[in-house]
């Protein structure tokens, strides 16, 4: 018998282009709404999609509820980083940071609330913003990226108050020490720097690649991710994923993971990390691999833990990376489903 | 006795006549003579009755005398004789009296006769007069009835109504004061008016007639002129034939074609008409925009035998014999072998798949003088149309091995519209027909019959519903017309892109990436990576490659596509590229999947930059299209891959632990080596400045 080929097979020009776009999509950033029910995801085409976690997690979830509620073009370039305040969604990509009202984002055709560009020195190429960090105590936002500086922006006035210089290559990631107003930054130059916001100075530098235990020259020296918890700091990238004791600046645990890690976070007494490869890795602090939960993307770039107290039913871990899908883990053991662009 | 009487009368007459001579002798006689004696007059005076008495008396006397004489004679004696004598004298007197009486009787008789006759004549005359009068009366009566029965002509005339009459007629005709009370006058007046009007109309009629006459004459003249024109035109046509041939304007041929076209089946006819119309419209547009060139880009012709087509209209049993000779032979042979069931089925299949003897040839000429020959057939029993395609080029092509299927009739038109692979019958009713004769699918017959693409049906005006089988289908001009332009354009684009690919493949096989001068700006001047291999692979092989899974999963690797494998090398680095070439090239771009063998195997799943490279050629293909109609896309994509490989290798961070210099020193100018969370390399080439940056 003849094969039943539907007449509308996706072979038209538009369909092929769409399929290719989806195939080559990378989701760089995620952020959970302050109410905890929505998840924003930004991709390499500059689009931000808002997924409804509550709808996708509800018992009568259908295929459509795993599709974005709204998708809109936020930036011209990729959306590298996103973060949520109690009212706003801040997104950053090539050169500028934009603010969107969460309330309006859910409606179609919303416009940005404001956008700011840090004072850059070069004009040849607009440096990207790779990391955003909120400092609640002084109500400011720290932006870091291509121009090797940490820019502090006052959220009240929208002005850039200071720039912290010290990195010799672009900055990948930021982390805030909660007790004291100190910020950690890791960059392409292989160094993790500790900044004191009160004096706006670099107080400590750890050049990870110089420590033989964790150095992996064939992967490069870049620090792709870091997280901190009181005196502890975990960082990874080109060098192996390593747990550091900050006060003594010594690596305490080296996690046996070959692939470079792109995202790491503390969760209860575990460390979650993701990067090259399909899996979300769960580590004991002692360095044992507790579990490897496979996701649907060939490589992961960001993890997001929804710990908003407002929506306890939506307490999930989401992971996104080199695909158009956002994997949702309802518990840490396995992947429940994927949200898809 | 009579002689005696006549003797006696004579002397009397003489006596009377000779009286004057003897008058002296007898006075009485003379007196008598002098008084004029007329016996006729005497008659009047005498009474016929007394005469009758006298006659009777005389006769009796005579009888008595006779008897006495006899007596006397019989007794004889001497005295008798005296007595006899006496008696004789007495008898003589009596005789005289008798004679007189006789005469008188005669006269009387004559007189009576005369009188009767006279009276009779009178009566006759009166009678005649009476007859005449009666006749006259009758005639007059007849005349009267005739008059009474007379019908006037005017009663039949449909007169205008009274009101109208008084309204319209001029007063000298209507004479209202006279005619109002008198119906006779009124009628007369109305008749007058009628007459007046009729006269006018008659006048008009005459005028119109003369007018008509005039026009007829004019027409006649013009007709004569026209008929005289025909032979002249014919002679002009004859004379212009060489010119037509010289200028490629085959008007005559076109005319002949229209004749043949009448025998086309409806769908082919629709196609023929629409294609011809489109061709002419194109020619017009061209000639108006660029006058000097008037070459036809679309030519339409009809092929096949008209006689066979005509034969089809005869009763069906004839039509079968009217097939070509070979067919007839075949039929004979099959008749001989009839017993086997399989042959019978075979026969039925052949009958079902029979084509109409006429076909329409469409030659679509492209800008570079290559021609796409399309032959459209009509399958009579299936009510679908099929097409066979052939491409001829102006110059002989060296056929590269990898270009095998590019121009093959089987695949050159595949998927002209998305999903239209032309291997399945578009008429849902056919499936039932197939089931009957045991044809599983039309796919097996497509090579022989031609492809029943959907667009072909649309060009022929055949529209098939997707459901509802057994639906009657009528050839529809509007459907064909609405699809003609787009289809022709697509066909042209298809042929041109195939030819362009054909050319590109020829170079690619020799490891040359034929970048044209107008696309040179897309690439830096120095490209070190080289294409070393370009081969065709089959669909199954492509499916089994380990780095193409996501393409297959995304449904982009259908069996209508063509598959190729390219190998790009630089030093020890080998980049494999698996290419999916959609039949809709170049509007649908070729899709690349990469696998780099250098310091381990790198694919998009373990190296973000390989993924970025794929995305550069697959997603950002639009900037590689070059000038329209972007046939150079494939070449540009391959060249771009070479550049990307250069960038990838040169920007790879140097491993300090390895001794010796870098294998690939950085020659490209880059602003930054890495950027963003996924550490992208600067793949974007900025043309005039010649440096690389991040996208």
């Amino acid at each position: 018998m003849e094969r039943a080929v539907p007449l509308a097979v996706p072979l038209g020009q538009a369909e092929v282009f769409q399929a290719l776009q989806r195939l080559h999509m990378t989701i760089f950033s995620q952020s959970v709404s302050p109410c905890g029910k929505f998840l924003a995801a930004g991709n390499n085409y500059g689009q931000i999609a808002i997924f409804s976690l509550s709808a996708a997690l509800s018992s009568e979830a259908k295929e459509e509820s795993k599709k974005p509620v709204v998708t809109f073009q936020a930036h011209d370039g990729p959306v590298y980083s996103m973060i949520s305040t109690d009212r706003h969604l801040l997104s950053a990509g090539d050169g500028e940071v934009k603010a969107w009202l969460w309330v309006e984002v859910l409606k179609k055709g919303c416009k940005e609330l404001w956008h700011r560009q840090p004072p850059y020195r070069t004009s040849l190429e607009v440096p990207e913003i790779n990391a955003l960090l909120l400092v609640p105590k002084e109500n400011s936002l720290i932006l870091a990226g291509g121009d090797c500086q940490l820019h502090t922006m006052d959220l009240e006035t929208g002005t850039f108050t200071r720039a912290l210089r010290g990195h010799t290559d672009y900055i990948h990631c930021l982390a805030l020490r909660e007790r004291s107003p100190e910020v950690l930054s890791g960059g392409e130059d292989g160094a993790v720097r500790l900044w004191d916001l009160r004096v706006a100075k670099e107080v400590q530098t750890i050049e990870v690649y110089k420590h033989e235990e964790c150095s992996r020259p064939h992967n490069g020296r870049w620090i792709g991710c870091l997280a901190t918890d009181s005196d502890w700091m975990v960082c990874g990238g080109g060098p192996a994923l390593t747990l550091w004791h900050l006060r003594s600046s010594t690596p305490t645990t080296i996690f046996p993971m070959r692939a470079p890690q792109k995202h790491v976070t503390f969760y209860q007494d575990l460390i979650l990390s993701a990067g090259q490869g399909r899996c979300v890795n769960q580590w004991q602090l002692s360095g044992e691999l507790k579990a490897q939960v496979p996701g649907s993307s060939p490589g992961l770039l960001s993890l997001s833990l929804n710990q908003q107290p407002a929506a306890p039913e939506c307490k999930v871990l989401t992971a996104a990376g080199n695909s158009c899908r956002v994997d949702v883990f309802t518990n840490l053991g396995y992947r429940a489903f994927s949200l898809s662009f | 006795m009579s002689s005696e009487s006549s003797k006696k009368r004579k002397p009397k007459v003489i006596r009377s006549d000779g009286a004057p001579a003897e008058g002296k002798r007898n006075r009485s006689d003379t007196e008598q003579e002098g008084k004029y004696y007329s016996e006729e007059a005497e008659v009047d005076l005498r009474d016929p009755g007394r005469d009758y008495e006298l006659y009777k008396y005389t006769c009796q006397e005579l009888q008595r005398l006779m008897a006495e004489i006899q007596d006397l004679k019989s007794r004889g004696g001497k005295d008798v004789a005296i007595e006899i004598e006496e008696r004789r004298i007495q008898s003589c007197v009596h005789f005289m009296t008798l004679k007189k009486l006789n005469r008188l009787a005669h006269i009387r008789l004559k007189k009576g006769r005369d009188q009767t006759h006279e009276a009779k004549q009178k009566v006759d005359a009166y009678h005649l007069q009476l007859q005449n009068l009666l006749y006259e009366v009758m005639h007059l009566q007849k005349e009267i009835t005739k008059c009474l029965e007379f019908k006037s002509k005017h009663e039949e005339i449909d007169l205008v109504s009274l009101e109208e009459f008084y309204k319209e007629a001029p007063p000298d005709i209507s004479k209202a004061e006279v005619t109002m009370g008198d119906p006779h006058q009124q009628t007369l007046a109305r008749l007058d008016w009628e007459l007046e009007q009729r006269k006018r109309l008659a006048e008009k009629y005459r005028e119109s007639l003369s007018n008509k006459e005039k026009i007829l004459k004019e027409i006649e003249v013009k007709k004569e002129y026209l008929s005289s024109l025909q032979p002249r035109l014919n002679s002009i046509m004859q004379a212009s034939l060489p010119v037509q041939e010289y200028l490629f304007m085959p008007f005559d041929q076109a005319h002949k074609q229209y004749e043949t076209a009448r025998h086309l089946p409806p769908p082919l006819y629709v196609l023929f008409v629409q294609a011809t119309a489109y061709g002419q419209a194109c020619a017009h547009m061209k000639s108006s925009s660029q006058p000097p060139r008037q070459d036809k880009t679309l030519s339409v012709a009809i092929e096949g035998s008209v006689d066979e087509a005509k034969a089809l209209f005869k009763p069906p049993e004839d039509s079968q014999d009217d097939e070509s000779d070979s067919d007839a032979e075949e039929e004979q042979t099959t008749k001989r072998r009839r017993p086997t069931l399989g042959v019978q089925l075979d026969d039925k299949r052949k009958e079902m798949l029979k084509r109409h003897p006429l076909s329409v040839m469409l030659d679509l000429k492209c800008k570079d003088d290559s021609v796409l020959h399309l032959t459209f057939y009509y399958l009579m029993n299936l009510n679908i149309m099929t097409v066979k395609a052939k491409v001829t080029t102006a110059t002989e092509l060296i056929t590269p091995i990898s270009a095998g299927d590019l121009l093959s009739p089987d695949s050159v038109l595949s998927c002209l519209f998305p999903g239209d692979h032309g291997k399945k019958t578009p008429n849902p009713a056919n499936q039932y027909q197939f089931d009957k004769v045991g044809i599983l699918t039309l796919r097996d017959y497509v090579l022989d019959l031609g492809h029943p693409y959907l667009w072909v049906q649309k060009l022929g005006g055949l529209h098939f519903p997707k459901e509802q089988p057994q639906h009657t289908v009528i050839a529809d001009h509007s459907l064909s017309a609405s699809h003609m332009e787009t289809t022709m354009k697509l066909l042209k684009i298809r042929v041109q892109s195939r030819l362009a690919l054909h050319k590109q493949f020829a170079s690619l096989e020799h490891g040359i990436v034929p970048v044209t001068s107008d696309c040179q700006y897309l690439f830096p001047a120095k490209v070190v990576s080289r294409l070393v291999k370009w081969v065709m692979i089959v669909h199954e092989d492509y499916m089994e490659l380990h780095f193409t899974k996501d393409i297959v999963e995304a449904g982009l690797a259908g069996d209508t596509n063509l598959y190729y494998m390219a190998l790009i090398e630089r030093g020890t680095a080998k980049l494999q590229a698996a290419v999916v070439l959609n039949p809709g090239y170049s509007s649908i771009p070729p899709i690349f999947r990469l696998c780099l063998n250098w310091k381990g195997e790198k694919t998009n799943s373990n190296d973000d930059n390989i993924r970025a490279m794929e995305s550069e050629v697959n997603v950002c293909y639009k900037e590689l299209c070059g000038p329209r109609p972007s046939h150079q896309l494939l070449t540009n994509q391959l060249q771009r891959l070479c550049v990307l490989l250069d960038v990838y290798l040169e920007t790879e961070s140097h491993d300090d632990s390895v001794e010796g210099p870098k294998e690939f020193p950085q020659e490209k100018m880059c602003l930054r080596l890495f950027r963003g969370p996924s550490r992208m390399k600067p793949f974007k080439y900025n043309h005039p400045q010649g440096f690389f940056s991040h996208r």
Side-chain angles (χ1 to χ4, degrees), chain B residues 122-180:
Chain B
K122 228 179 206 169
V123 168
D124 273 358
Y126 282 132
H127 189 74
L128 192 67
Q129 201 179 353
L130 177 70
Q131 289 289 331
N132 280 343
L133 286 172
L134 279 175
Y135 184 76
E136 203 170 337
V137 166
M138 212 166 68
H139 178 71
L140 285 173
Q141 274 173 343
K142 242 187 221 168
E143 285 292 300
I144 288 165
T145 47
K146 226 184 233 175
C147 285
L148 285 175
E149 277 169 11
F150 173 73
K151 287 228 166 199
S152 172
K153 261 265 162 80
H154 83 271
E155 281 165 38
E156 290 164 15
I157 297 173
D158 211 3
L159 290 173
V160 291
S161 69
L162 261 179
E163 303 87 60
E164 217 176 307
F165 166 68
Y166 281 116
K167 216 164 47 186
E168 288 179 2
D172 58 316
I173 289 178
S174 65
K175 288 181 203 138
E177 65 283 356
V178 183
T179 54
M180 266 310 194

Side-chain angles (χ1 to χ4, degrees), chain B residues 56-67:
Chain B
K56 259 180 171 173
Y57 169 71
T58 317
C59 283
Q60 274 169 2
E61 283 305 306
L62 260 166
Q63 271 172 346
R64 194 189 41 97
L65 286 168
M66 285 308 162

Side-chain angles (χ1 to χ4, degrees), chain A residues 178-240:
Chain A
E178 278 161 27
R179 277 186 299 180
S180 51
E182 282 177 340
V183 172
L184 288 160
S185 68
E188 185 70 16
D189 59 0
V192 174
R193 291 168 206 267
L194 185 62
W195 308 85
D196 190 332
L197 292 176
R198 286 164 296 192
V199 291
K201 271 198 183 144
E202 184 180 340
V203 288
Q204 196 181 351
T205 307
I206 302 168
E207 290 178 303
V208 181
Y209 65 96
K210 289 191 175 163
H211 294 259
E212 247 175 66
E213 309 94 299
C214 50
S215 129
R216 291 188 296 197
H218 60 277
N219 280 343
R221 52 174 76 162
W222 53 279
I223 299 295
C225 54
L226 62 97
T228 174
D229 192 8
S230 65
D231 267 347
W232 301 95
M233 184 266 286
V234 62
C235 70

Side-chain angles (χ1 to χ4, degrees), chain B residues 524-529 570 646-647 649-652 662-670 673 685 690-692:
Chain B
K526 191 180 174 194
V527 181
V528 189
S529 305
R570 177 174 176 181
D646 278 356
V647 172
L649 295 175
E650 287 176 22
T651 54
E652 196 58 26
K662 280 173 87 171
E663 188 186 351
F664 306 109
Q666 191 181 335
E667 290 166 348
K668 307 271 187 292
M669 245 203 319
C670 305
L673 290 184
Y685 176 66
F691 66 90
F692 285 83

Side-chain angles (χ1 to χ4, degrees), chain A residues 44-114:
Chain A
N44 55 333
Y45 303 117
Q47 296 164 321
I48 293 177
I50 312 291
F51 298 97
S52 169
L53 283 177
S54 53
L57 286 165
S58 72
S59 50
E60 58 260 22
K62 296 179 205 112
E63 272 310 300
E64 297 95 78
S65 47
K66 288 165 188 170
K67 287 275 171 193
V69 185
V70 186
T71 307
F72 59 95
Q73 191 71 36
H75 293 265
D76 294 334
V79 184
Y80 285 132
S81 180
M82 282 199 294
I83 201 162
S84 290
T85 68
D86 48 357
R87 286 177 62 220
H88 299 138
L89 170 69
L90 306 174
S91 68
D94 274 351
E96 60 180 3
V97 59
K98 290 187 180 180
W100 315 79
L101 266 180
W102 261 111
V103 188
E104 283 183 15
V105 143
L106 294 170
K107 299 172 198 158
K108 271 187 182 155
C110 78
K111 290 202 81 178
E112 77 232 35
L113 195 64
W114 47 259

